[in-house]
Amino acid sequence: MARNLLLLITFFVSIATASAGRLITTTTNSSTSLVSDGVHGGEFRLNLRSSLLKSTEESRYCDQTYGFMPCTTSVLGNLFLILAYGYLMFIAATYLSAGSELLLEILGPGIVGGLFLPILGALPDALLILVSGLSGSPETAQDQVSVGMGLLAGSTVMLLTVIWGTCIIVGKCDLENSIALDNQDTKGFNLSGSGVSTDIWTSYSAMIMAASVLPFLIVQFPQILHSTSGRHLSVLIGLIVSISLLIAYCIYQVYQPKIQKRRLAFAKHKHVRSRILRYMKTNALGGLLDDQGRPNREVLYKLFSSVDKNGDKHLSHSELQALVVGMQLNDINLNEDDAVIKLMRDFDTSGDDEIDFEEFVTGISQWLEEARSAKTESAIASPDTTKYIHDYYEETKREHYLLGDEGGGDDDEGHSLDNPRWAILLLGTVVAAMFADPLVDAVGDFSTATSIPSFFISFIVLPLATNSSESVSAIIFASRKKQRSASLTFSELYGAATMNNLLCLSVFLALVYMRGLTWDFTSEVLVIVIVCIVMGVFGSLRTTFPLWTSFIAFVLYPFSLILVYVLDYILGWS
């Protein structure tokens, strides 16, 4: 694959460079050949004879990126260059995505999954934004930086609308009690009866993504107050806040797997306790508590004796393990030895690695008190009712479900650090860095040739190149129709949007501040903020997404384009 890419690059550059100096006609004072900008009263149309094909002696050479890359000022020529450079950026993004996943498989989450993976995923966008503001004089950079803003807005909006909604459709399963049933899709396109459900960590990711728009609001503050002073300072403050939030987010991502494992382990243990209580209630010949709400020692002794197989008046590690195995807790991916150790820790107050009857009574009483104090509707019922034990069991079961279980055999194994495919990371980075600048120039030239604002070209076209592999990967992963795969899919989408709002924005603000550019992107910022907050709040308040929610996401994409057009080209905000 890498060899084919290098051959493609060599062939493309060789062929295109041969025609790099093609002469393109510039418009003169003829009123019939003028190309309208589509905003200031003229007709939005192209003079095909001059803009598309014509070459005369009055024409001039275009500026070649790096002094040798192919360029043109014609519509068709720049369209070809956008497609060619865009495809190479797509290949680079694919390599970066594949290399990142390989690193994750080899080294696991933590620093790789929390730090390198998000940064590498946002690298193509960051490079395009960087080169859009580095080229030429500050005046040239001010014109080209709209390409970077278009990419930043388009990438975020596309991931949270079109791709988000598509993942709902391809990943939908039957919904039962607000939970999607893995690999069960019998209700077709039932708007409320089918959909996806995610774990609680995905909700946290959506919440973080919504909060990541804070730097945008800081930079936009002078415009909100209609003030011309302090704009440069607000850019600096926004840059500092953006970098600080980026560092905090990466630290959170690094430690999040450990936090998740701890909470999941606690939820499993709590679920085991609730399952044992339900088991004992089902098998007890009487209430676990008497009429005064105290432990029913007679009933508890019978239960104690049923577990004490050797009759030595003590429960050993092996007898507790037999109890756990007998309850068949396969649905929570339980490590039985670890569960028994924790159970022993709950009961064995004497530390002799055995449980006598008094310790058993004390431990069960504490469990029952925890079940009664749980926030369930039946907690106010009589002291010994089956209802509150059942509710406690259902509560712990759902808590475990929402936390997600990282166990299972879906992950591939057998990867080794000796696998040479890690080198595709380097190749992807080099290709992205090499063709980012020519792609930005091609977009700018295409905008000039067609009088279409460069923002809209970069908003629609560039994300297709830089985010295609990530989008296709998310859709394929969602199609597995499992709660765990859905959680990872939407967490990845929220994480990608967060990195756009922090890493890519940091690059953008650094360019604006260091080069003394003007921050004048009110409508574009408004679009990003609206989409991120709507989808972020929506994703943080719920873990189940019926099919109808996909239409909310789909509608936001054309809404974003229309909003920018109305604000900039009708109301004149910029």
Side-chain angles (χ1 to χ4, degrees), residues 1 21 92 136 173 236 258 274 493 560:
M1 184 68 175
C173 298
L236 177 60
K258 296 181 180 178
S274 68
L493 293 179
S560 301

Side-chain angles (χ1 to χ4, degrees), residues 246-260:
L246 175 62
I247 294 173
Y249 176 71
C250 290
I251 292 175
Y252 168 77
Q253 287 291 81
V254 169
Y255 287 100
Q256 190 265 351
K258 296 181 180 178
I259 300 172
Q260 182 174 356

Side-chain angles (χ1 to χ4, degrees), residues 477-494:
F477 207 60
S479 66
R480 296 183 181 180
K481 296 184 179 296
K482 292 184 178 181
Q483 186 258 2
R484 181 169 181 262
S485 61
S487 298
L488 293 174
T489 295
F490 288 100
S491 292
E492 181 181 356
L493 293 179
Y494 295 139

Side-chain angles (χ1 to χ4, degrees), residues 222-243:
Q223 282 88 334
I224 295 175
L225 298 179
H226 303 287
S227 172
T228 57
S229 62
R231 293 193 177 190
H232 201 54
L233 177 61
S234 67
V235 170
L236 177 60
I237 296 174
L239 174 61
I240 295 173
V241 172
S242 181
I243 294 176

Side-chain angles (χ1 to χ4, degrees), residues 494-521:
Y494 295 139
T498 301
M499 291 304 291
N500 282 344
N501 293 342
L502 297 180
L503 175 62
C504 295
L505 179 62
S506 296
V507 174
F508 199 100
L509 293 179
L511 284 171
V512 173
Y513 182 78
M514 295 173 62
R515 302 212 64 187
L517 305 180
T518 302
W519 178 270
D520 193 13
F521 303 103

Side-chain angles (χ1 to χ4, degrees), residues 310-461:
N310 61 6
D312 64 351
K313 309 302 181 182
H314 291 84
L315 301 183
S316 64
H317 186 282
S318 60
E319 288 169 333
L320 280 181
Q321 188 171 32
L323 173 64
V324 172
V325 173
M327 289 188 300
Q328 298 181 345
L329 301 173
N330 300 326
D331 58 324
I332 62 173
N333 189 38
L334 184 68
N335 184 316
E336 294 167 356
D337 290 332
D338 181 61
V340 172
I341 290 174
K342 291 178 179 178
L343 290 176
M344 186 68 72
R345 189 183 305 155
D346 283 354
F347 287 95
D348 183 22
T349 57
S350 63
D352 60 357
D353 207 28
E354 288 186 330
I355 303 171
D356 60 28
F357 179 65
E358 293 301 326
E359 291 173 328
F360 181 77
V361 172
T362 302
I364 293 298
S365 299
Q366 292 175 347
W367 286 5
L368 288 172
E369 183 61 30
E370 180 182 330
R372 292 181 61 187
S373 62
K375 295 180 180 180
T376 57
E377 295 180 358
S378 56
I380 60 174
S382 59
D384 187 48
T385 173
T386 304
K387 178 63 175 171
Y388 79 74
I389 293 179
H390 173 74
D391 287 351
Y392 179 62
Y393 165 74
E394 291 296 333
E395 179 196 6
T396 57
K397 181 180 178 181
R398 179 165 180 79
E399 180 182 346
H400 172 261
Y401 174 85
L402 289 177
L403 285 174
D405 195 338
E406 295 301 315
D410 291 340
D411 296 329
D412 296 330
E413 298 178 354
H415 295 285
S416 169
L417 284 170
D418 295 332
N419 195 321
R421 287 187 295 163
W422 67 267
I424 63 178
L425 278 173
L426 178 60
L427 180 59
T429 303
V430 171
V431 173
M434 179 178 180
F435 292 99
D437 198 6
L439 178 57
V440 170
D441 290 341
V443 170
D445 291 341
F446 183 79
S447 172
T448 301
T450 61
S451 296
I452 299 175
S454 58
F455 171 85
F456 293 102
I457 301 173
S458 56
F459 185 98
I460 298 173
V461 177

